[in-house]
Amino acid sequence: MPRRTAAERPTVPAAEKAPEPPRPTYAVLRAVISDGQGGEEELRLAMADGPFGTAAWQMWSVGLYLARLHRHQVQPSAETLSAHLRAGVVPFPTPTLGFPYDELHDLRPTLILSLKLGPLDPTGWPAASLVVVEQDTKPYGYTRVRRFRSLRAVTKAVQEEIEDECSRLAGQKAQRELFELADKLSRQAETVHQRALECASPLLGGAVRESMHAEGQERERLLQELDELCGLDGPLPDEAATASPVQTVTGHLERAPEALADGRARLYVRLAGACGTAPWRADRPAVVICTARDAAARGALSLRAGTAVVVVGRAGVATYRYEGDVRRRADTFEAISIGVDLAAESAPPATTV
């Protein structure tokens, strides 16, 4: 039987390739919050990018957080920012899902807000800078990067973005409800920016106050609206509200208490037993650094090394730098009161320092 050539062989149609499911895309907020003493907190959160995962809406949420920090005079932290995003005070979806990926090298985010915050300055506003990255997730798509390096630059950018969104939505009947919301938010963003400008310097503040007075009742109405939006939902949690519960630990002083320059006292307490009531990690150290203030500090400084003590206070974690660039964390205990443990067994020999 004659052999068929390759050209004569029947062709088999290739199986049709199933279409790939669409790749989910996200809006991502990355915040790095500094305490001004070398410690930093980082927060990465994400949300579906439509319809509110765009720069205009999510930048407005950041601007509102800055305004709430100023109003309630609360230091920025990962906890208060997360609470702000989850509390429902923002009238649209915000990033609340953990995003444990490197957002700059991930192919899925269409919007990345990289926010950096520092402690409140003398004007009562936090230090702030913001980088906004908008990108197309398709191959060879565009990328747009903008940087705002000061609080006033951030608040101005927030105002301009939401105003641009108003212009885009104007005249679209199907988007009437969104337009009305964006219009209201743009007026509030303007008020936030004006307040930030007012605090920039006494001279500039006076000029802004004059312009605000000249605009009369409309400006007062906007100020009242902003106060209601930032105030009636309740203040952001402060240190007292978010501190760990009051607990009691017992142990012996590892060394003589140290007097610090700011009037506090530092104690090194070797814990007695397991101290199961303390919320530290399972690998917590045997010796805990305690700090005391005011009357507790004065009482602590009268104690000697080896004294059995009962310490009432709150557990916490301190971040510090070791040998320049190495960042470390230490378990701490902020003492409210300190007393001698009369029920304790005889103290072990004190460490010689």
Side-chain angles (χ1 to χ4, degrees), residues 34-343:
S34 169
D35 61 6
Q37 299 177 346
E40 287 183 348
E41 296 179 289
E42 186 174 353
L43 191 65
R44 274 198 187 97
L45 298 173
M47 62 174 284
D49 64 344
F52 291 99
T54 60
W57 300 99
Q58 298 307 319
M59 287 174 66
W60 185 89
S61 174
V62 169
L64 178 62
Y65 176 65
L66 300 177
R68 295 183 72 196
L69 291 175
H70 173 68
R71 174 180 172 82
H72 300 298
Q73 288 300 284
V74 174
Q75 295 291 352
S77 69
E79 184 167 4
T80 58
L81 177 54
S82 180
H84 166 74
L85 296 172
R86 290 180 166 88
V89 63
V90 181
F92 50 80
T94 52
T96 56
L97 302 174
F99 193 78
Y101 310 103
D102 190 334
E103 69 284 347
L104 291 178
H105 297 273
D106 198 295
L107 300 178
R108 295 167 294 178
T110 58
L111 171 71
I112 301 171
L113 298 184
S114 182
L115 177 65
K116 189 168 185 179
L117 296 175
L120 302 183
D121 62 19
T123 68
W125 288 88
S129 64
L130 180 67
V131 178
V132 182
V133 181
E134 298 166 281
Q135 57 190 8
D136 188 352
T137 59
K138 297 177 182 177
Y140 308 107
Y142 73 90
T143 299
R144 180 191 187 198
V145 181
R146 290 173 294 159
R147 296 176 175 85
F148 309 100
R149 295 184 173 88
S150 69
L151 173 90
R152 291 179 293 282
V154 171
T155 57
K156 182 179 180 181
V158 169
Q159 177 189 348
E160 292 176 346
E161 281 293 320
I162 198 68
E163 286 178 350
D164 288 347
E165 184 73 357
C166 277
S167 300
R168 186 184 70 83
L169 294 171
Q172 299 183 28
K173 293 183 179 180
Q175 303 290 334
R176 181 65 186 176
E177 189 175 339
L178 277 183
F179 168 75
E180 292 176 354
L181 175 60
D183 183 55
K184 179 179 179 180
L185 300 187
S186 69
R187 285 177 281 150
Q188 292 165 345
E190 179 187 1
T191 302
V192 172
H193 180 52
Q194 293 291 343
R195 284 190 170 183
L197 283 178
E198 184 179 1
C199 295
S201 70
L203 180 61
L204 182 58
V208 172
R209 278 192 294 272
E210 289 177 7
S211 66
M212 291 172 67
H213 179 73
E215 294 181 21
Q217 295 181 352
E218 176 65 13
R219 175 63 66 184
E220 292 301 322
R221 185 182 65 79
L222 291 177
L223 288 173
Q224 184 176 0
E225 278 190 6
L226 184 67
D227 282 345
E228 290 175 355
L229 185 62
C230 297
L232 291 182
D233 58 291
L236 289 161
D238 56 17
E239 292 182 0
T242 59
S244 63
V246 175
Q247 299 167 77
T248 301
V249 298
T250 59
H252 294 86
L253 293 184
E254 184 76 3
R255 61 182 76 172
E258 300 174 2
L260 303 180
D262 58 2
R264 296 183 301 161
R266 179 187 292 135
L267 302 88
Y268 296 83
V269 178
R270 179 170 292 278
L271 298 177
C275 275
T277 59
W280 292 304
R281 305 183 309 268
D283 60 341
R284 60 181 177 266
V287 177
V288 174
I289 302 173
C290 300
T291 55
R293 306 173 185 269
D294 305 325
R298 293 190 293 270
L301 292 173
S302 65
L303 302 175
R304 297 181 179 181
T307 303
V309 292
V310 177
V311 185
V312 179
R314 290 186 170 94
V317 176
T319 306
Y320 65 97
R321 289 187 179 274
Y322 176 75
E323 293 183 349
D325 296 330
V326 181
R327 185 176 291 111
R328 290 188 174 180
R329 296 168 68 89
D331 292 289
T332 63
F333 199 80
E334 184 71 24
I336 298 174
S337 65
I338 300 173
V340 177
D341 187 359
L342 301 178

